[in-house]
Amino acid sequence: MGLAQRIMEKRGLSTICLTQMPYVSEKIGVPRALAVEFPFGMIWGRPGDHETHLLIMKHMLQAVQEIISPGTIVELTLRWPDDLTALRDWFPKEPPPWLTSPEKVQQMMDFIQHGNPLE
């Protein structure tokens, strides 16, 4: 995402990344980002929660206008419900491919630690 954003920004189009992993977004060099601490796969909130979806979109549009310094990441203060069943009821039955073996986990950690391999 960061590479595509940088190309669009060079052509004069403002972009923003909605991220659940601000550390990774910083490493790959997104021009600007809005971080939200929601579970993976639920970055916009729970399905059908149009109020939260709209709130996140409004924050993104505001951040695009207000962020001046490249690489700025704004942390959104929204929090996922404390109800533990709400945290698990959406979780996939199978782990994502990068969690299937210690080698793949190490590859992901190497990528996170060393930034964008395309640079």
Side-chain angles (χ1 to χ4, degrees):
M1 186 60 170
L3 180 60
Q5 280 186 267
R6 290 193 302 273
I7 290 169
M8 288 188 274
E9 293 271 341
K10 284 182 183 175
R11 295 198 168 115
L13 181 65
S14 295
T15 65
I16 188 161
C17 171
L18 183 60
T19 182
Q20 292 164 298
M21 299 185 341
Y23 176 77
V24 174
S25 297
E26 178 183 29
K27 285 289 190 186
I28 63 175
V30 298
R32 62 187 68 72
L34 185 68
V36 62
E37 289 188 39
F38 283 179
F40 288 114
M42 297 291 211
I43 197 164
W44 288 93
R46 298 186 61 74
D49 183 359
H50 303 296
E51 185 178 317
T52 299
H53 304 167
L54 184 59
L55 182 61
I56 290 172
M57 179 58 75
K58 286 178 180 178
H59 280 286
M60 289 178 73
L61 293 171
Q62 182 179 355
V64 166
Q65 290 181 325
E66 294 177 356
I67 295 174
I68 298 169
S69 300
T72 300
I73 299 174
V74 174
E75 301 231 6
L76 194 54
T77 59
L78 294 177
R79 295 291 173 249
W80 195 256
D82 289 333
D83 177 11
L84 292 179
T85 58
L87 291 172
R88 290 189 294 252
D89 65 352
W90 65 273
F91 213 77
K93 294 182 185 349
E94 297 293 323
W98 68 271
L99 274 178
T100 57
S101 73
E103 293 82 19
K104 290 184 180 184
V105 170
Q106 187 59 50
Q107 287 175 347
M108 177 62 81
M109 295 308 295
D110 289 344
F111 172 79
I112 291 169
Q113 290 173 346
H114 298 104
N116 187 349
L118 300 176
E119 292 181 343

